[in-house]
Amino acid sequence: MTMTDPIADMLTRIRNANQANLKKVVCPASKIKANILDIFTQEGFIKGYKRASVDGKGVLVILLRYSEENVPVITGLKRNSRPGLRYYVRKDKIPKVRNGMGCAVISTSKGVMSDRQARRADVGGEVLCSIW
């Protein structure tokens, strides 16, 4: 059976592992997911990720981040643009997530970048997801 929305699947796996206080989560690999995880790492929401192979298929092992009191750093994840309803923004309409405390991931003509990077590069695009 094919998956309709692999990005939403990855976000749901992260959300579920976060609620269960797991240290890592595994999801199928793709370039767009790796780009999103790069942004999550740069913004400090996850420790990082590693590419691995399970039964000959590529997977991403995502290392989740917690505070010293074992409280998850990620408090929320939202899929903004989805296959049934795409969400595009112009460069002057890029959303701020939780007044700058969160991060929106935007797919632009210059690649996948965070909302801050898109504002600096002066480009708009498709808002893939938000994290806070």
Side-chain angles (χ1 to χ4, degrees):
M1 188 168 153
T2 61
M3 192 179 313
T4 307
D5 193 358
I7 295 172
D9 176 64
M10 177 185 74
L11 296 177
T12 300
R13 287 175 191 234
I14 292 172
R15 190 180 304 113
N16 290 344
N18 219 15
Q19 289 177 348
N21 283 342
L22 300 178
K23 299 295 179 197
K24 63 183 179 179
V25 62
V26 178
C27 71
S30 73
K31 287 181 185 177
I32 189 77
K33 290 180 192 176
N35 290 336
I36 291 170
L37 291 174
D38 283 334
I39 292 169
F40 287 176
T41 304
Q42 290 169 7
E43 295 290 327
F45 289 104
I46 62 172
K47 286 182 184 175
Y49 70 96
K50 295 183 269 187
R51 289 185 178 269
S53 180
V54 174
D55 297 329
K57 297 185 180 186
V59 294
L60 298 170
V61 180
I62 304 164
L63 305 171
L64 300 177
R65 196 167 161 214
Y66 296 91
S67 70
E68 292 186 17
E69 296 83 29
N70 208 21
V71 177
V73 171
I74 299 171
T75 56
L77 281 165
K78 181 182 179 192
R79 177 76 160 115
N80 296 101
S81 184
R82 49 188 211 267
L85 180 64
R86 298 292 182 184
Y87 178 45
Y88 296 98
V89 293
R90 294 190 331 230
K91 61 184 178 183
D92 56 337
K93 300 284 185 184
I94 296 173
K96 278 195 173 187
V97 180
R98 305 284 169 147
N99 284 330
M101 296 302 291
C103 174
V105 178
I106 302 173
S107 177
T108 68
S109 58
K110 295 182 179 179
V112 177
M113 54 182 69
S114 70
D115 55 351
R116 290 176 191 85
Q117 293 169 332
R119 275 190 212 90
R120 259 186 258 120
D122 209 29
V123 292
E126 182 180 2
V127 182
L128 298 175
C129 61
S130 301
I131 186 169
W132 62 91

